[in-house]
Amino acid sequence: MRTKIVAGNWKMNKTFEEADDLINNIIDLLKSENLSDKAVIICPPAVFLELATDQSFDSEIYVGAQNVSRFESGAYTGEISASMLSSMGVDFCIIGHSERRKYFLETHEELAGKVDQVLKQNISPVFCCGETLPERESGKHFEIVRKQIEDSLFHLKEGDFEHVIIAYEPVWAIGTGVNATSQQAQEMHHYIRSLVREKYGDQMAENISILYGGSCNSKNAHELFANPDVDGGLIGGASLDAEEFIRIVQSF
Ligand code: PGA
């Protein structure tokens, strides 16, 4: 059975004290939850990763980064390498978020390099894909998502691909308060799983976790997660409040 995952993408939010409180509150609230078939991941800004891995050491949560360098090491001022993340106990890394594609012009090729870097360090990529509103309106959404996945993930060998998590995040749903309908999410997740099946076979397609992201909150999570191909969520705004985030975890 595939793992159900709720991952919180904090983006560029919180000060040190606020991050400290949020991590502690999440850990405290999760103590009374049965997480046997679920994984809860928090992805704070890079400067708080050490705080997060320290505090989560004996807890039920995993820690993920929001970005990583596509280079291994050396003269790349301001970059953070996959080996640095791994040495701090980071287990997951968001790659290819639409905000990184849009504001930092990350290309499919660059994202493929980032995927390779984290996998070399035993970090699982949470690879984001999704179409913009004009792309959906012109009926190109399947083609766009296929290209994003093919170009940045399908060079991987099976042994590496089995560590990948995919997050479908329609760009028009991110931070807008307009989530994809349950039917739109299921349709795209089913399609993504069929791409994985074609390339890597039935077993891989059955095992891969495909998360939905984009204005997912405690009010719509239950309906979205009830779909057979939706294995959890990548949560932005609603992950910044511990109680709201836990309600989403409880939505399975
Ligand atoms: P949102 O963001 O939940 O605030 O829409 C999701 C994401 O960007 O990962």
Side-chain angles (χ1 to χ4, degrees), residues 75-246:
Y76 300 102
T77 302
E79 289 287 87
I80 294 174
S81 72
S83 62
M84 292 172 190
L85 296 178
S86 145
S87 69
M88 284 193 300
V90 169
D91 291 312
F92 296 88
C93 184
I94 298 171
I95 292 179
H97 192 281
S98 67
E99 288 149 16
R100 299 231 37 110
R101 293 177 192 264
K102 178 174 172 193
Y103 300 122
F104 304 96
L105 308 179
E106 293 187 344
T107 62
H108 296 192
E109 192 189 4
E110 198 172 340
L111 296 175
K114 292 184 179 212
V115 167
D116 292 343
Q117 288 296 334
V118 296
L119 285 168
K120 262 196 251 170
Q121 299 298 330
N122 296 319
I123 292 172
S124 290
V126 179
F127 182 81
C128 302
C129 56
E131 79 287 354
T132 62
L133 191 57
E135 286 163 350
R136 176 165 279 266
E137 284 174 347
S138 58
K140 292 203 186 107
H141 43 301
F142 292 113
E143 190 185 321
I144 294 291
V145 166
R146 180 173 54 74
K147 181 113 181 91
Q148 289 170 339
I149 291 177
E150 276 180 1
D151 287 6
S152 301
L153 293 179
F154 279 4
H155 63 289
L156 294 173
K157 299 209 168 68
E158 278 185 26
D160 280 330
F161 191 85
E162 68 188 14
H163 301 291
V164 171
I165 295 159
I166 293 179
Y168 169 57
E169 299 207 307
V171 180
W172 47 271
I174 296 177
T176 59
V178 181
N179 58 287
T181 63
S182 182
Q183 193 204 345
Q184 286 169 327
Q186 168 57 24
E187 184 183 46
M188 184 59 86
H189 283 229
H190 183 77
Y191 175 68
I192 293 171
R193 204 177 298 284
S194 76
L195 294 176
V196 173
R197 182 170 289 109
E198 258 169 53
K199 173 78 183 165
Y200 294 101
D202 283 347
Q203 182 84 33
M204 194 74 89
E206 281 316 306
N207 290 345
I208 188 167
S209 294
I210 307 176
L211 315 184
Y212 168 77
S215 297
C216 183
N217 57 39
S218 63
K219 295 198 174 67
N220 56 34
H222 180 72
E223 194 187 336
L224 286 160
F225 296 174
N227 286 296
D229 288 302
V230 179
D231 307 311
L234 180 56
I235 319 296
S239 72
L240 297 172
D241 176 88
E243 277 156 22
E244 171 69 359
F245 186 57
I246 300 308

